[in-house]
Amino acid sequence: MAVAAKPESLVVTLADPEATERLAARLAPLLRAGDTVALHGELGTGKTTLARGLIRALCGAGEEVPSPTFTLVQTYAAPDFEIWHFDLYRIERPADALELDIEEATADGVVLIEWPEKLGRWLPAERLDVRLAYGGDECERVATLSGGAGWRARLARLRHV
């Protein structure tokens, strides 16, 4: 896992899905109730792999973590907060996400959102953006992590873990 640092972002080259899970395990201890993690990327770039890694790091390695593509949302009880995992790929309008209790989730849980651009103006301004892209070979991915002021210090800690 190669890491490049810029003041406002962290760029990580991930050799394979296992490296994506290791990044999730490093990121998990930095999450707090009220956090939103927006997972951006094309189909197949590893959004669900990263979300699954975060959930398992917080809830236990044996946690069953299905993709919420068809259910749209799955919830998990971590020791310190509830985790809400949203997949908004199939919603048609931003208002449709409000019917999934996304506002309630962002108040006191940790929210993981695949396809966050579907939320439009309802995407929380204070969030961690994780942009996943295809890398140089079939398995490689590049993750770019960036966030507002509340995330800069946490990302700085992530660089040194």
Side-chain angles (χ1 to χ4, degrees):
M1 184 176 349
V3 177
K6 297 178 185 175
E8 68 285 350
S9 65
L10 178 69
V11 179
V12 183
T13 301
L14 306 163
D16 51 33
E18 291 76 21
T20 302
E21 291 172 4
R22 286 192 299 275
L23 174 62
R26 290 175 52 200
L27 181 58
L30 303 178
L31 295 174
R32 303 186 291 241
D35 282 344
T36 296
V37 179
L39 301 166
H40 305 267
E42 296 177 46
L43 283 171
T45 54
K47 296 179 298 295
T48 301
T49 300
L50 185 68
R52 186 174 287 127
L54 283 167
I55 293 163
R56 287 184 175 155
L58 292 164
C59 296
E63 185 73 37
E64 183 68 29
V65 185
S67 172
T69 299
F70 295 103
T71 59
L72 302 179
V73 64
Q74 296 282 343
T75 58
Y76 304 89
D80 297 325
F81 43 74
E82 192 166 25
I83 303 167
W84 297 64
H85 180 195
F86 293 89
D87 186 328
L88 304 181
Y89 182 73
R90 296 186 317 117
I91 71 164
E92 306 225 352
R93 300 171 303 125
D96 294 341
L98 300 180
E99 295 175 18
L100 302 172
D101 293 328
I102 201 161
E103 289 178 306
E104 175 189 332
T106 58
D108 56 7
V110 166
V111 177
L112 311 175
I113 306 172
E114 297 186 45
W115 304 99
E117 60 278 1
K118 299 263 189 153
L119 273 178
R121 66 183 176 99
W122 284 293
L123 183 62
E126 181 56 38
R127 66 181 182 269
L128 174 65
D129 286 300
V130 180
R131 298 183 186 284
L132 294 155
Y134 290 103
D137 67 38
E138 185 178 321
C139 293
E140 187 178 85
R141 301 292 185 264
V142 177
T144 303
L145 292 79
S146 60
W151 274 100
R152 288 191 188 111
R154 288 190 266 175
L155 287 176
R157 289 197 319 254
L158 185 61
R159 286 183 183 99
H160 299 39
V161 173

PDB file of all heavy atoms in Angstrom, residues 87-103:
ATOM      1  N   ASP A  87     -26.577   2.257  -0.140  1.00  0.00           N
ATOM      2  CA  ASP A  87     -26.189   2.156  -1.548  1.00  0.00           C
ATOM      3  C   ASP A  87     -27.289   2.854  -2.333  1.00  0.00           C
ATOM      4  O   ASP A  87     -28.400   2.342  -2.452  1.00  0.00           O
ATOM      5  CB  ASP A  87     -26.052   0.700  -1.977  1.00  0.00           C
ATOM      6  CG  ASP A  87     -25.521   0.565  -3.393  1.00  0.00           C
ATOM      7  OD1 ASP A  87     -25.800   1.449  -4.236  1.00  0.00           O
ATOM      8  OD2 ASP A  87     -24.845  -0.438  -3.682  1.00  0.00           O
ATOM      9  N   LEU A  88     -26.995   4.031  -2.850  1.00  0.00           N
ATOM     10  CA  LEU A  88     -28.001   4.867  -3.506  1.00  0.00           C
ATOM     11  C   LEU A  88     -28.031   4.706  -5.018  1.00  0.00           C
ATOM     12  O   LEU A  88     -28.685   5.479  -5.713  1.00  0.00           O
ATOM     13  CB  LEU A  88     -27.761   6.335  -3.128  1.00  0.00           C
ATOM     14  CG  LEU A  88     -27.751   6.628  -1.627  1.00  0.00           C
ATOM     15  CD1 LEU A  88     -27.526   8.116  -1.384  1.00  0.00           C
ATOM     16  CD2 LEU A  88     -29.018   6.140  -0.951  1.00  0.00           C
ATOM     17  N   TYR A  89     -27.350   3.681  -5.530  1.00  0.00           N
ATOM     18  CA  TYR A  89     -27.255   3.479  -6.973  1.00  0.00           C
ATOM     19  C   TYR A  89     -28.632   3.475  -7.641  1.00  0.00           C
ATOM     20  O   TYR A  89     -28.814   4.037  -8.710  1.00  0.00           O
ATOM     21  CB  TYR A  89     -26.525   2.161  -7.267  1.00  0.00           C
ATOM     22  CG  TYR A  89     -26.337   1.876  -8.724  1.00  0.00           C
ATOM     23  CD1 TYR A  89     -25.411   2.597  -9.479  1.00  0.00           C
ATOM     24  CD2 TYR A  89     -27.082   0.887  -9.364  1.00  0.00           C
ATOM     25  CE1 TYR A  89     -25.222   2.327 -10.819  1.00  0.00           C
ATOM     26  CE2 TYR A  89     -26.903   0.621 -10.705  1.00  0.00           C
ATOM     27  CZ  TYR A  89     -25.974   1.347 -11.431  1.00  0.00           C
ATOM     28  OH  TYR A  89     -25.797   1.093 -12.767  1.00  0.00           O
ATOM     29  N   ARG A  90     -29.614   2.862  -6.998  1.00  0.00           N
ATOM     30  CA  ARG A  90     -30.924   2.677  -7.633  1.00  0.00           C
ATOM     31  C   ARG A  90     -31.928   3.798  -7.353  1.00  0.00           C
ATOM     32  O   ARG A  90     -33.029   3.764  -7.883  1.00  0.00           O
ATOM     33  CB  ARG A  90     -31.533   1.336  -7.202  1.00  0.00           C
ATOM     34  CG  ARG A  90     -30.720   0.153  -7.664  1.00  0.00           C
ATOM     35  CD  ARG A  90     -31.335  -1.215  -7.385  1.00  0.00           C
ATOM     36  NE  ARG A  90     -31.921  -1.377  -6.072  1.00  0.00           N
ATOM     37  CZ  ARG A  90     -33.216  -1.605  -5.854  1.00  0.00           C
ATOM     38  NH1 ARG A  90     -34.067  -1.700  -6.844  1.00  0.00           N
ATOM     39  NH2 ARG A  90     -33.666  -1.771  -4.629  1.00  0.00           N
ATOM     40  N   ILE A  91     -31.572   4.786  -6.533  1.00  0.00           N
ATOM     41  CA  ILE A  91     -32.557   5.840  -6.296  1.00  0.00           C
ATOM     42  C   ILE A  91     -32.583   6.794  -7.496  1.00  0.00           C
ATOM     43  O   ILE A  91     -31.572   6.980  -8.174  1.00  0.00           O
ATOM     44  CB  ILE A  91     -32.346   6.606  -4.972  1.00  0.00           C
ATOM     45  CG1 ILE A  91     -31.115   7.495  -5.018  1.00  0.00           C
ATOM     46  CG2 ILE A  91     -32.324   5.668  -3.786  1.00  0.00           C
ATOM     47  CD1 ILE A  91     -31.102   8.520  -3.901  1.00  0.00           C
ATOM     48  N   GLU A  92     -33.737   7.367  -7.727  1.00  0.00           N
ATOM     49  CA  GLU A  92     -33.903   8.232  -8.895  1.00  0.00           C
ATOM     50  C   GLU A  92     -33.804   9.708  -8.561  1.00  0.00           C
ATOM     51  O   GLU A  92     -33.376  10.504  -9.378  1.00  0.00           O
ATOM     52  CB  GLU A  92     -35.255   7.934  -9.542  1.00  0.00           C
ATOM     53  CG  GLU A  92     -35.400   6.462  -9.838  1.00  0.00           C
ATOM     54  CD  GLU A  92     -35.959   6.181 -11.200  1.00  0.00           C
ATOM     55  OE1 GLU A  92     -36.377   7.122 -11.880  1.00  0.00           O
ATOM     56  OE2 GLU A  92     -35.938   5.006 -11.566  1.00  0.00           O
ATOM     57  N   ARG A  93     -34.244  10.091  -7.349  1.00  0.00           N
ATOM     58  CA  ARG A  93     -34.251  11.487  -6.945  1.00  0.00           C
ATOM     59  C   ARG A  93     -33.620  11.611  -5.564  1.00  0.00           C
ATOM     60  O   ARG A  93     -33.773  10.715  -4.735  1.00  0.00           O
ATOM     61  CB  ARG A  93     -35.685  12.025  -6.872  1.00  0.00           C
ATOM     62  CG  ARG A  93     -36.448  11.966  -8.172  1.00  0.00           C
ATOM     63  CD  ARG A  93     -37.933  12.302  -7.994  1.00  0.00           C
ATOM     64  NE  ARG A  93     -38.544  11.389  -7.019  1.00  0.00           N
ATOM     65  CZ  ARG A  93     -39.213  11.788  -5.927  1.00  0.00           C
ATOM     66  NH1 ARG A  93     -39.390  13.056  -5.674  1.00  0.00           N
ATOM     67  NH2 ARG A  93     -39.731  10.905  -5.100  1.00  0.00           N
ATOM     68  N   PRO A  94     -32.923  12.703  -5.275  1.00  0.00           N
ATOM     69  CA  PRO A  94     -32.342  12.875  -3.938  1.00  0.00           C
ATOM     70  C   PRO A  94     -33.363  12.723  -2.823  1.00  0.00           C
ATOM     71  O   PRO A  94     -33.064  12.144  -1.777  1.00  0.00           O
ATOM     72  CB  PRO A  94     -31.768  14.293  -3.983  1.00  0.00           C
ATOM     73  CG  PRO A  94     -31.469  14.535  -5.411  1.00  0.00           C
ATOM     74  CD  PRO A  94     -32.559  13.810  -6.172  1.00  0.00           C
ATOM     75  N   ALA A  95     -34.581  13.179  -3.032  1.00  0.00           N
ATOM     76  CA  ALA A  95     -35.611  13.095  -1.991  1.00  0.00           C
ATOM     77  C   ALA A  95     -35.928  11.646  -1.631  1.00  0.00           C
ATOM     78  O   ALA A  95     -36.356  11.365  -0.505  1.00  0.00           O
ATOM     79  CB  ALA A  95     -36.873  13.818  -2.434  1.00  0.00           C
ATOM     80  N   ASP A  96     -35.703  10.704  -2.561  1.00  0.00           N
ATOM     81  CA  ASP A  96     -35.951   9.286  -2.264  1.00  0.00           C
ATOM     82  C   ASP A  96     -35.082   8.798  -1.112  1.00  0.00           C
ATOM     83  O   ASP A  96     -35.495   7.931  -0.342  1.00  0.00           O
ATOM     84  CB  ASP A  96     -35.687   8.422  -3.498  1.00  0.00           C
ATOM     85  CG  ASP A  96     -36.658   8.693  -4.639  1.00  0.00           C
ATOM     86  OD1 ASP A  96     -37.741   9.271  -4.379  1.00  0.00           O
ATOM     87  OD2 ASP A  96     -36.325   8.333  -5.779  1.00  0.00           O
ATOM     88  N   ALA A  97     -33.884   9.348  -0.980  1.00  0.00           N
ATOM     89  CA  ALA A  97     -32.981   8.931   0.106  1.00  0.00           C
ATOM     90  C   ALA A  97     -33.515   9.371   1.460  1.00  0.00           C
ATOM     91  O   ALA A  97     -33.257   8.710   2.471  1.00  0.00           O
ATOM     92  CB  ALA A  97     -31.585   9.495  -0.122  1.00  0.00           C
ATOM     93  N   LEU A  98     -34.262  10.449   1.490  1.00  0.00           N
ATOM     94  CA  LEU A  98     -34.812  10.928   2.756  1.00  0.00           C
ATOM     95  C   LEU A  98     -35.809   9.924   3.330  1.00  0.00           C
ATOM     96  O   LEU A  98     -35.960   9.819   4.549  1.00  0.00           O
ATOM     97  CB  LEU A  98     -35.457  12.299   2.581  1.00  0.00           C
ATOM     98  CG  LEU A  98     -34.523  13.400   2.093  1.00  0.00           C
ATOM     99  CD1 LEU A  98     -35.273  14.704   1.948  1.00  0.00           C
ATOM    100  CD2 LEU A  98     -33.326  13.547   3.008  1.00  0.00           C
ATOM    101  N   GLU A  99     -36.465   9.165   2.482  1.00  0.00           N
ATOM    102  CA  GLU A  99     -37.396   8.129   2.928  1.00  0.00           C
ATOM    103  C   GLU A  99     -36.664   6.962   3.593  1.00  0.00           C
ATOM    104  O   GLU A  99     -37.288   6.133   4.241  1.00  0.00           O
ATOM    105  CB  GLU A  99     -38.233   7.638   1.755  1.00  0.00           C
ATOM    106  CG  GLU A  99     -39.141   8.714   1.184  1.00  0.00           C
ATOM    107  CD  GLU A  99     -39.893   8.271  -0.050  1.00  0.00           C
ATOM    108  OE1 GLU A  99     -40.002   7.050  -0.292  1.00  0.00           O
ATOM    109  OE2 GLU A  99     -40.371   9.150  -0.780  1.00  0.00           O
ATOM    110  N   LEU A 100     -35.356   6.892   3.442  1.00  0.00           N
ATOM    111  CA  LEU A 100     -34.553   5.819   4.040  1.00  0.00           C
ATOM    112  C   LEU A 100     -34.017   6.202   5.418  1.00  0.00           C
ATOM    113  O   LEU A 100     -33.177   5.498   5.971  1.00  0.00           O
ATOM    114  CB  LEU A 100     -33.372   5.478   3.122  1.00  0.00           C
ATOM    115  CG  LEU A 100     -33.715   5.035   1.709  1.00  0.00           C
ATOM    116  CD1 LEU A 100     -32.451   4.932   0.868  1.00  0.00           C
ATOM    117  CD2 LEU A 100     -34.466   3.712   1.738  1.00  0.00           C
ATOM    118  N   ASP A 101     -34.482   7.325   5.979  1.00  0.00           N
ATOM    119  CA  ASP A 101     -34.041   7.832   7.290  1.00  0.00           C
ATOM    120  C   ASP A 101     -32.581   8.262   7.297  1.00  0.00           C
ATOM    121  O   ASP A 101     -31.904   8.208   8.319  1.00  0.00           O
ATOM    122  CB  ASP A 101     -34.289   6.810   8.402  1.00  0.00           C
ATOM    123  CG  ASP A 101     -35.762   6.576   8.653  1.00  0.00           C
ATOM    124  OD1 ASP A 101     -36.543   7.530   8.475  1.00  0.00           O
ATOM    125  OD2 ASP A 101     -36.132   5.445   9.025  1.00  0.00           O
ATOM    126  N   ILE A 102     -32.090   8.716   6.160  1.00  0.00           N
ATOM    127  CA  ILE A 102     -30.689   9.123   6.080  1.00  0.00           C
ATOM    128  C   ILE A 102     -30.403  10.321   6.988  1.00  0.00           C
ATOM    129  O   ILE A 102     -29.318  10.420   7.554  1.00  0.00           O
ATOM    130  CB  ILE A 102     -30.255   9.365   4.617  1.00  0.00           C
ATOM    131  CG1 ILE A 102     -28.739   9.272   4.503  1.00  0.00           C
ATOM    132  CG2 ILE A 102     -30.808  10.669   4.073  1.00  0.00           C
ATOM    133  CD1 ILE A 102     -28.235   9.046   3.104  1.00  0.00           C
ATOM    134  N   GLU A 103     -31.381  11.198   7.175  1.00  0.00           N
ATOM    135  CA  GLU A 103     -31.172  12.343   8.074  1.00  0.00           C
ATOM    136  C   GLU A 103     -31.006  11.868   9.519  1.00  0.00           C
ATOM    137  O   GLU A 103     -30.147  12.364  10.244  1.00  0.00           O
ATOM    138  CB  GLU A 103     -32.328  13.327   7.967  1.00  0.00           C
ATOM    139  CG  GLU A 103     -32.334  14.088   6.651  1.00  0.00           C
ATOM    140  CD  GLU A 103     -33.520  15.016   6.540  1.00  0.00           C
ATOM    141  OE1 GLU A 103     -34.658  14.547   6.699  1.00  0.00           O
ATOM    142  OE2 GLU A 103     -33.271  16.216   6.290  1.00  0.00           O
TER     143      GLU A 103
END
